[in-house]
């Protein structure tokens, strides 16, 4: 039962991250300055990096709140340790110096997949955004 609840938490975090990511990219893309300025691509990338950091912190907060409960624990359960662990999982770096035990591992596995997909989504969207400027330069 606890394992199913851990998967439900992972699914909820995934949904929140996807909605936040989509909303941020849509808002940034529709911003008047970002679509017209060559520096807009740099602003877009910087803003999306902040969105990724927010998503990492969201998972990190979940690890912190779940750690030491029936969900298991993260081996170093301080708040900043959980943020560091989340960044390692989100980027699929997987250093191994901090590790999960118990059902909380379901959240870790899901976070790796979420990070992989959202980073790829940002990269492909950034390429399309940059291509608009390249096409505009070729028209001149």
């Amino acid at each position: 039962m606890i394992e199913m609840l851990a998967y439900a938490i992972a699914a909820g975090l995934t949904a929140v991250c996807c909605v936040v990511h989509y909303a941020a990219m849509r808002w940034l893309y529709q911003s008047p300055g970002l679509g017209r300025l060559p520096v807009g691509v740099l602003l877009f990338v910087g803003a999306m990096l902040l969105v990724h950091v927010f998503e990492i912190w969201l998972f990190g907060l979940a690890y912190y709140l779940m750690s030491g409960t029936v969900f298991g624990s993260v081996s170093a359960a301080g708040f900043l340790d959980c943020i560091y662990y989340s960044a390692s999982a989100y980027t699929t770096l997987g250093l191994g110096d901090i590790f999960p035990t118990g059902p909380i591992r379901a959240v870790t596995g899901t976070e790796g997949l979420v990070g992989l997909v959202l980073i790829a989504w940002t990269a492909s969207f950034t390429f399309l955004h940059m291509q608009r400027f390249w096409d505009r330069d070729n028209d001149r």
Side-chain angles (χ1 to χ4, degrees):
M1 184 66 181
I2 296 300
E3 290 84 7
M4 294 305 292
L5 188 55
Y7 280 111
I9 291 169
L13 289 167
T14 300
V16 169
C17 286
C18 288
V19 168
V20 165
H21 212 81
Y22 173 79
M25 284 198 301
R26 183 174 172 85
W27 181 80
L28 288 166
Y29 186 75
Q30 292 177 342
S31 295
L34 292 182
R36 295 186 184 97
L37 300 173
V39 72
V41 174
L42 296 175
L43 294 173
F44 177 82
V45 169
M48 288 311 296
L49 283 172
L50 291 176
V51 172
H52 284 291
V53 168
F54 172 78
E55 293 159 356
I56 287 168
W57 277 66
L58 191 63
F59 273 96
L61 178 62
Y63 292 130
Y64 181 71
L65 294 175
M66 293 172 72
S67 192
T69 66
V70 295
F71 293 105
S73 66
V74 174
S75 60
F79 179 68
L80 291 179
D81 293 326
C82 289
I83 299 300
Y84 165 77
Y85 174 71
S86 178
S88 178
Y90 187 90
T91 59
T92 65
L93 187 60
L95 294 174
D97 53 343
I98 298 177
F99 54 90
T101 59
I104 202 169
R105 293 177 298 171
V107 178
T108 298
T110 303
E111 184 182 11
L113 183 58
V114 168
L116 180 70
V117 168
L118 296 183
I119 290 168
W121 189 10
T122 302
S124 62
F125 195 85
T126 302
F127 174 78
L128 293 174
H129 194 61
M130 289 172 61
Q131 195 172 34
R132 289 176 48 205
F133 292 110
W134 293 335
D135 289 344
R136 192 178 302 162
D137 287 344
N138 288 338
D139 290 341
R140 291 182 189 172

